[in-house]
Amino acid sequence: MDGNLSLDGRVAVVTGAGAGLGRAEALALADAGARIVLNDLPGAADGAAEEIRSRGGTVVVVTGDVGERSTADAMVSAAVDQLGGLDIVVNNAGMTRDKMLFNMSDQEWDDVVRVHLRGHFLLSRNAASYWRTKSKQADAPVYGRVVNTASEAFLAGSPAQANYAAAKAGITALTLSTARGLSRIGVRANAICPRARTAMTAQVFGEDESGKDVDPYSPAHVAPLVAYLASPAAETITGQVFVVYGGMVALLAAPVVERRFDASGSTWDLDDLAKQVGGYFEGRDPSVGFAADSVMKLTV
């Protein structure tokens, strides 16, 4: 393997690593040479750990809910104290509680936002603190990689996923803030929007009927990108959002200004707004909004 792609000597933490995307990502990182801290609920990551060990890899399992501070503390402690450091964070753990907005309970909202957004924050914050301290001690940049898991749900405004879409939008914003806030100490942070057939998305994608050798929605299409973004070769890539599935990686562009409106007088009045803003939308298809529908049309 190209030395610039190797993760030999690196330590990675992967959340939700017992199955699906997290497991595939952990295996890819381990195959590239990283020592791995696997996180999932009790018993869920044991099989993944055994597979990594069978391939000659080094792994530590930390069980617990990523939405709990104690779990984030334990993951970073395991990486540093048992494996010698922390270089890579892959925030993957998630869950869904799909309901239309008018039927969604407080608990269904809180649970999804807690696991996804708070879970990403807790581990990222602990890692950032570790990297900042290490950078100050060395008076030099560190090696730090963060790969967060967003979703096209935040781009499309999924109707029955107000909780999930909002959490994934927050994760994207967290990723951008992480990339900009930690860049000077050497940390690179990016987000992926994977399409993958897992237990969490079984109702979305259904069964594989593609007839292809490898299911287009297999996590195997996603894991290599995560391993690449974690590698030294991705040094110049940060603050980016990628859609990935089926052998395709699509780099998303930042939003652009569609139209600017300026008040006719010193401040806006309702008539002026109605004339300019209302006039622009008159006769326009009301279904065309901020949602990135063109992204959802990506196919392989």
Side-chain angles (χ1 to χ4, degrees):
M1 179 182 291
D2 183 330
N4 219 26
L5 295 170
S6 172
L7 297 178
D8 285 344
R10 306 296 182 187
V11 178
V13 175
V14 184
T15 68
L21 272 175
R23 182 178 183 133
E25 291 163 349
L27 289 169
L29 293 168
D31 286 346
R35 301 187 297 279
I36 311 293
V37 175
L38 294 180
N39 157 261
D40 214 312
L41 298 176
D46 293 347
E50 286 307 310
E51 186 168 358
I52 289 174
R53 292 188 184 107
S54 73
R55 298 185 184 192
T58 301
V59 60
V60 173
V61 176
V62 173
T63 61
D65 180 348
V66 294
E68 298 292 335
R69 167 68 187 271
S70 59
T71 306
D73 291 346
M75 286 188 283
V76 173
S77 292
V80 175
D81 298 338
Q82 297 184 53
L83 299 181
L86 175 60
D87 305 288
I88 300 157
V89 166
V90 178
N91 282 304
N92 167 76
M95 60 182 290
T96 55
R97 294 291 184 269
D98 295 353
K99 289 283 182 64
M100 293 301 291
L101 183 59
F102 43 77
N103 284 329
M104 186 170 291
S105 69
D106 294 6
Q107 195 66 52
E108 287 163 342
W109 172 273
D110 290 344
D111 285 348
V112 169
V113 172
R114 179 182 60 81
V115 170
H116 285 277
L117 184 53
R118 177 177 165 83
H120 274 60
F121 157 70
L122 289 173
L123 180 54
S124 294
R125 188 267 313 279
N126 284 17
S129 178
Y130 167 78
W131 287 325
R132 180 173 181 269
T133 298
K134 189 176 179 182
S135 176
K136 289 178 69 175
Q137 291 172 344
D139 193 25
V142 299
Y143 187 97
R145 298 287 188 270
V146 178
V147 180
N148 288 334
T149 308
S151 168
E152 291 168 278
F154 96 88
L155 297 166
S158 305
Q161 293 186 312
N163 48 7
Y164 183 74
K168 291 305 190 182
I171 286 168
T172 302
L174 172 65
T175 305
L176 301 180
S177 183
T178 301
R180 292 194 165 186
L182 303 183
S183 63
R184 65 182 180 83
I185 64 169
V187 177
R188 306 292 178 253
N190 296 284
I192 61 170
C193 297
R195 297 182 193 176
R197 198 186 313 277
T198 66
M200 193 179 78
T201 62
Q203 293 183 334
V204 176
F205 297 120
E207 297 295 323
D208 177 21
E209 298 179 353
S210 67
K212 296 184 177 181
D213 291 339
V214 179
D215 179 358
Y217 296 127
S218 169
H221 292 297
V222 179
L225 176 62
V226 172
Y228 172 72
L229 291 174
S231 76
E235 171 67 19
T236 60
I237 304 174
T238 194
Q240 305 300 323
V241 181
F242 299 92
V243 175
V244 52
Y245 87 107
M248 176 205 73
V249 173
L251 172 64
L252 300 188
V256 298
V257 176
E258 178 178 338
R259 180 68 175 258
R260 172 175 165 165
F261 307 94
D262 293 292
S264 299
S266 57
T267 62
W268 285 104
D269 61 41
L270 296 182
D271 286 336
D272 195 11
L273 284 166
K275 179 180 179 181
Q276 292 200 54
V277 180
Y280 180 73
F281 282 94
E282 187 175 349
R284 175 185 164 120
D285 182 353
S287 69
V288 177
F290 193 77
D293 294 329
S294 62
V295 177
M296 304 306 296
K297 296 176 182 176
L298 284 169
T299 59
V300 295

